């Protein structure tokens, strides 16, 4: 039985994030993936690499250095280089012996040779005894693509690095692949002006011919992403300035949407369909919980983000506590949370959250936080302290944390995981194509890597998607497939509601039957629980979702 080839263009991704993502896909998923991306400057080396082939201190030149579980010596990855990670189950092959690995390397080389020929660079081929793809074989051979793979139990990892418009001076800092006799080259240096996207397209066509007998499905993040897309602590005003509503959406947000193929949208005066009209019910439970929050001087995402379910949830005695203040260092285009310069941390906040959880006698507590890119750990310590405080007072309460991406820092995430939350939630928010437009300081691959790290550590892992921002149903299906592939157990899907005219427009009202279908799609992907409805939010019916995966309180970690 052949698998559809899932092709993903992920943009520029940190090497360690990409490594943890592909490791999870390799170990957990049966699907065939081709991950295409660029890396930040990094030197990588197989286990037997010779240290003498690294000629500089990586830190002094602004690069990382990582030892990995593939063959080969030192090589370089960086901007302008197309990196491909085919994660494939090879048909009719077992194990990972030398003959099988050599046959797979030959297949991978041929994909690149054919793609380069398609791009108008004929004459590329193999050089006996030197894996990779070479040009000018009859003159002075130059290496245009490096290959380093791992094959185990018929499943592949790692892949190739094809120099497109790479700064070749970086290779002067190493002995590339331990080879002193030949030099690297790039398409641009060989006179081929193909863009990164054109090169990726050519590689995908040839890869699909070889590994996509059942077809291919493709999703892409933006091909262009600049640091200037977002001003820190504001929606494009200035650091520390208020960011209240204005008459129209910021031009940069609309420009990014247009670049992603989304134009126009529904006006703020567009009447919501009947299925999106939440009932206002100032009930006794709501009033009681509001008193508890004020008494303990706590912040909830329910209020800060303008959740439409606040009366239902608070009336039922459930709420989502928000740590690290009420000001976020990000400015996502859909979110109402304040984006000014954040205030100092409150060391008493974890204890007060635990007091409120105990007073409310919660069976399941949900804790989130604003993004705090100004902190060395991204705010992770507050999560760990709050989990410990809740467990100390309410040992029978299960604890769900909804975390930011911590800037991709694995150590910060580990701080939270070491505190042993019962559910680790991180929202991917939207489909790959809209990431830059909707959450320019985040990333699709970064979110997938975080979720992969959580699931690999054995935690029940959860994520959420907002729809109605310009995606189509098929793209949501692919996002669900990616979440399933990394081991996400619970997914929430809900309709985007534009908070103010300062936020991105609603592109469409998604009908209830689409949400019903996504529950079925998720079940078919073996996701344990999909909470999907127009008014669903990340923490909506969180206790019911926890029950659906038969969650029981995790043991409190023993102090070291």
């Amino acid at each position: 039985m052949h698998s559809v080839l899932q092709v993903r263009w992920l943009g520029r991704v940190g090497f360690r994030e990409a490594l943890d993502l592909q490791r999870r896909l390799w170990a957990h998923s049966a699907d065939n993936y081709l991950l295409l991306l660029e890396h930040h400057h990094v030197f990588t080396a197989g286990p037997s690499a010779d240290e003498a082939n690294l000629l500089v201190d990586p830190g002094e030149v602004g690069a990382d250095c990582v030892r990995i579980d593939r063959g080969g010596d030192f090589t370089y990855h960086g901007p302008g280089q197309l990196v491909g990670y085919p994660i494939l189950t090879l048909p009719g092959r077992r194990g990972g012996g030398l003959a099988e690995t050599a046959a797979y390397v030959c297949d991978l080389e041929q994909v690149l040779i054919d793609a380069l020929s398609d791009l108008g660079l004929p004459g590329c081929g193999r050089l006996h005894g030197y894996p990779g793809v070479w040009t000018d074989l009859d003159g002075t051979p130059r290496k245009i693509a490096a290959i380093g793979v791992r094959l185990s139990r018929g499943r592949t990892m790692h892949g190739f690095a094809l120099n497109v418009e790479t700064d070749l001076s970086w290779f002067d800092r190493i002995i590339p692949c331990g080879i002193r006799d030949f030099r690297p080259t790039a398409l641009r240096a060989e006179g081929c002006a193909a863009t990164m996207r054109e090169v990726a397209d050519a590689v995908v066509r040839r890869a699909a011919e070889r590994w996509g007998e059942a077809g291919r499905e493709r999703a892409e993040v933006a091909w262009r992403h600049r640091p200037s897309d977002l001003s820190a602590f504001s929606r494009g005003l200035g650091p520390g300035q208020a960011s209240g509503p204005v008459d129209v959406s910021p031009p940069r947000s609309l420009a990014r949407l247009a670049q992603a193929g989304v134009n126009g949208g529904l006006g703020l005066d567009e009447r919501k369909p009947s299925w999106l009209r939440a009932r206002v019910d100032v009930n006794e439970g709501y009033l009681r919980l509001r008193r508890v929050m004020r008494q303990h001087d706590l912040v909830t995402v329910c209020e800060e983000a303008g959740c439409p379910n606040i009366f239902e949830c608070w009336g039922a005695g459930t709420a989502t506590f928000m740590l690290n203040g009420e000001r976020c260092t990000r400015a996502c285009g859909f979110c109402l949370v304040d984006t000014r310069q954040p205030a100092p941390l409150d060391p008493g906040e974890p204890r007060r959250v635990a007091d409120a959880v105990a007073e409310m006698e919660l069976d399941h507590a949900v804790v989130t936080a604003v993004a705090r890119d100004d902190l060395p750990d991204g705010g992770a310590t507050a999560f760990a302290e709050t989990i410990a405080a809740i467990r100390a007072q309410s040992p029978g309460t299960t604890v769900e944390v909804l975390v930011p991406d911590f800037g991709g820092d694995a150590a910060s995430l580990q701080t939270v995981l070491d505190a042993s939350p019962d559910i680790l939630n991180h929202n991917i928010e939207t489909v790959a194509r809209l990431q830059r437009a909707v959450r320019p300081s985040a990333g699709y691959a970064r979110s997938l890597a975080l979720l992969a790290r959580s699931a690999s550590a054995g935690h029940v892992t959860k994520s959420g998607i907002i729809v109605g921002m310009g995606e189509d149903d098929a793209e949501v299906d692919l996002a669900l497939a990616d979440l399933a592939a990394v081991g996400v157990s619970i997914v929430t899907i809900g309709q985007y509601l534009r908070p103010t005219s300062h936020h991105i427009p609603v592109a469409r009202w998604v009908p209830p039957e689409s949400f019903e279908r996504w529950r079925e799609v998720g079940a078919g992907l073996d996701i344990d629980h999909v909470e999907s409805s127009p008014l669903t939010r990340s923490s909506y019916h969180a206790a019911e979702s926890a029950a659906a995966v038969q969650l029981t309180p995790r043991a409190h970690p023993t102090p070291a």
Side-chain angles (χ1 to χ4, degrees), residues 10-27:
L10 299 176
R12 194 166 296 180
V13 182
F15 184 84
R16 296 175 193 271
E17 292 173 281
L19 180 60
D20 286 344
L21 173 56
Q22 63 165 320
R23 279 175 173 163
R24 182 61 179 170
L25 292 172
W26 178 84

Side-chain angles (χ1 to χ4, degrees), residues 323-324 329 345 349-350 367-386 402-407 409 412-413 415-416:
L323 304 176
N324 295 336
T329 55
L345 295 180
E349 191 174 54
V367 180
T368 189
V370 291
R372 290 296 301 263
D373 299 307
D374 58 315
L375 301 175
D377 69 347
T381 298
F383 279 104
E385 291 176 348
T386 302
L402 171 56
V403 299
D405 63 22
F406 302 119
D409 182 53
S412 296
L413 174 63
T415 296
V416 180

Side-chain angles (χ1 to χ4, degrees), residues 18-236:
L19 180 60
D20 286 344
L21 173 56
Q22 63 165 320
R23 279 175 173 163
R24 182 61 179 170
L25 292 172
W26 178 84
H28 175 75
S29 176
D31 293 333
N32 285 343
Y33 270 84
L34 174 58
L35 306 182
L36 298 172
L37 47 93
E38 293 179 89
H39 282 310
H40 305 285
H41 300 297
V42 61
F43 300 113
T44 67
S48 60
D50 185 350
E51 290 290 341
N53 290 328
L54 180 62
L55 306 179
V56 296
D57 179 340
E60 291 183 358
V61 295
D64 198 0
C65 186
V66 184
R67 287 219 177 237
I68 51 177
D69 53 350
R70 56 135 175 90
D73 209 291
F74 278 94
T75 191
Y76 162 77
H77 299 311
Q81 184 185 74
L82 178 65
V83 176
Y85 295 125
I87 304 165
L88 312 168
T89 299
L90 300 179
R93 296 178 181 174
R94 300 178 183 176
L98 291 177
E100 291 172 315
T101 300
Y104 170 60
V105 168
C106 186
D107 287 348
L108 192 49
E109 289 170 338
Q110 195 61 51
V111 165
L112 298 181
I113 291 168
D114 292 342
L116 290 171
S117 179
D118 295 341
L119 291 165
L121 197 64
C124 294
R126 301 176 181 85
L127 187 64
H128 181 70
Y130 297 96
V133 177
W134 301 75
T135 188
D136 196 15
L137 297 174
D138 297 328
T140 303
R142 296 180 295 279
K143 192 172 189 177
I144 199 166
I147 289 179
V149 303
R150 180 186 178 195
L151 177 59
S152 178
R153 302 192 303 276
R155 190 102 168 127
T156 70
M157 264 188 67
H158 304 296
F160 65 86
L162 175 60
N163 299 324
V164 179
E165 48 185 356
T166 316
D167 179 355
L168 297 176
S169 69
W170 277 89
F171 290 98
D172 296 335
R173 297 167 169 91
I174 57 174
I175 306 299
C177 301
I179 303 172
R180 296 179 179 272
D181 299 333
F182 305 109
R183 299 302 301 162
T185 188
L187 272 75
R188 193 60 53 87
E190 298 296 323
C192 178
T195 65
M196 182 67 72
R197 187 169 195 167
E198 290 168 340
V199 175
D201 288 345
V203 170
V204 168
R205 283 193 298 269
R206 291 299 188 168
E209 289 174 2
R210 191 162 296 266
W211 299 307
E213 292 184 30
R216 71 175 185 261
E217 295 177 329
R218 185 169 177 175
E220 302 174 348
V221 302
W223 287 84
R224 182 184 183 191
H225 194 168
R226 299 171 300 179
S228 60
D229 281 341
L230 187 71
S231 298
F233 313 130
S234 73
R235 299 185 191 279

